Amino acid sequence: MKEFRSGLKDAIPICLGYLAVSFAFGIQASEAGLSIFQASIMSLMNVTSAGQFSSLDLIHNNAAYAEMALLQLVVNIRYMLMSTALSQKLSSKVGTLKRCLIAYGVTDEIFGLSVTRKGRLYPEYSYGMIVCSVFGWVLGTFLGATAGQIMPHRLISALGIAIYGMFLAIIIPDSRDNKVVLLVVIGAMAMSTVFNYAPVISGLSSGFRIIIVTVVIAAVAAYFAPRDEEDTADA
Amino acid sequence: MHNIYVYIIVMAAVTYLIRMLPLTLIRREIKSKFVKSFLYYVPYATLAAMTFPAILHASDNMIASVLGFAVALILAFRRKSLLTVAMCACAVVFVAEMFLIR
């Protein structure tokens, strides 16, 4: 119960950030012709910002189901990397059902919180984070689809930075303690900036760009600065 | 016309499988030092890549976003909690936008 509650509390920034992002999604979804219920149920079943935003175009253009499946695979394949990393944080005693529940909530943000938590990851902690985050995600979608014009826009705009503030709160303290992590952070930001503005590459979906940056930077770091056994054990 | 609910189910199925398979299939501890180190660095690389330069466009006004970014960096460097860093960044953006956007 203590784990569940600390998961709930730690995920409040995620919840707020999701509220802002999914609010925007709700507005776009209703513009693309989805009903309030359809938009909300999509958020509940998918919990993936990039995947959901990119799907609207296909739905609007009446694309084939296979095309939709392929798009989701490309945009969301990074979750595979994250789930693999998470599998190493769980005790091998954690059963299949619990793993399946945790899998539902593997998002960039929840992953970020889970994997940088010291020691083992407890399923109850994940459940807490998932409940809090998904609540914000679905509520924001609902509000955006319902009342896009009523909510004060200035507030939504300010909440948009919450998630990034949280990311920085996760990665910066560790960069202070570990030079390699600092280089990884700077390198990834630099590479992502180049990818964001360079011709051709910037045409790739953001999910894909993040995969490339992650794989290249993490592989280079792992090659040149492999971690000692004991470091990895308590990491 | 395709059915929207079928779209939603297809999306959900693909996305869930991507998330579920590694978690349920990989039970044992990975032994390779390279893979272990790689997985250790993954979250830092991912979160950093997602944060920058996206944070510059996180609010309506880029100057407000830069101010929020700066405040978040300083607070994170001082090891403030996730909630504190996130909320202060929001507050800075909110106040800055009051002056920057009329």
Side-chain angles (χ1 to χ4, degrees), chain A residues 12-13 16 37-38 45-47 55 62-63 65 68 76 79-80 83-84 87-88 90 94 96 99-100 103-104 106 108 113 115 153-154 157-158 161-162 164-165 167-170 172-174 176-177 180-181 185 188-189 192-193 196-197 210 214-215 218-219 221-222 225-227 229 235, chain B residues 1-8 10-12 14-16 18-20 22-24 26-30 33-34 36-38 40-55 57-60 65 68-69 72-73 76-77 79 82-83 85-87 89-90 93-94 97 101:
Chain A
I12 292 174
L16 294 174
F37 179 74
Q38 286 167 338
M45 288 177 67
N46 285 273
V47 206
S55 76
N62 201 24
Y65 294 130
M68 178 66 90
N76 289 333
Y79 294 141
M80 204 165 250
S83 282
T84 306
S87 74
Q88 299 299 301
L90 289 170
V94 176
T96 305
R99 284 167 188 264
C100 287
Y104 165 70
V106 179
D108 303 325
L113 261 188
V115 84
H153 179 76
R154 201 49 48 80
S157 168
I161 204 168
Y164 301 112
F167 287 166
L168 291 169
I170 293 174
I172 298 299
D174 289 340
R176 229 182 118 168
D177 302 332
V180 183
V181 171
V185 165
M189 285 186 174
S192 138
T193 306
N196 200 52
Y197 299 110
I210 288 166
T214 302
V215 171
R227 311 230 337 133
E229 280 302 319
Chain B
M1 193 68 191
H2 290 83
N3 187 321
I4 290 185
Y5 291 101
V6 180
Y7 277 129
I8 294 176
V10 168
M11 289 167 65
V14 173
T15 308
Y16 184 70
I18 292 171
R19 290 168 165 157
M20 188 266 278
L23 266 171
T24 49
I26 306 173
R27 295 288 175 125
R28 281 176 309 152
E29 195 191 332
I30 294 172
K33 194 172 181 179
F34 176 78
K36 278 174 113 166
S37 304
F38 175 79
Y40 172 82
Y41 292 121
V42 160
Y44 299 106
T46 308
L47 296 181
M50 282 192 300
T51 301
F52 200 85
I55 192 170
H57 305 284
S59 77
D60 292 338
S65 299
F69 179 37
L73 267 183
F77 192 77
R79 304 183 199 280
L82 302 181
L83 194 58
V85 176
M87 288 299 88
C90 290
V93 169
F94 187 78
E97 284 195 344
I101 304 176

Side-chain angles (χ1 to χ4, degrees), chain A residues 84-138:
Chain A
T84 306
L86 276 188
S87 74
Q88 299 299 301
K89 286 285 283 186
L90 289 170
S91 155
S92 56
K93 293 195 186 80
V94 176
T96 305
L97 179 67
K98 288 184 172 174
R99 284 167 188 264
C100 287
L101 289 173
I102 294 171
Y104 165 70
V106 179
T107 67
D108 303 325
E109 295 75 18
I110 294 177
F111 165 75
L113 261 188
S114 319
V115 84
T116 48
R117 190 170 164 81
K118 304 298 173 207
R120 286 263 176 231
L121 175 67
Y122 294 97
E124 290 70 26
Y125 182 73
S126 295
Y127 302 157
M129 283 192 299
I130 290 172
V131 167
C132 183
S133 315
V134 172
F135 172 76
W137 186 245
V138 176

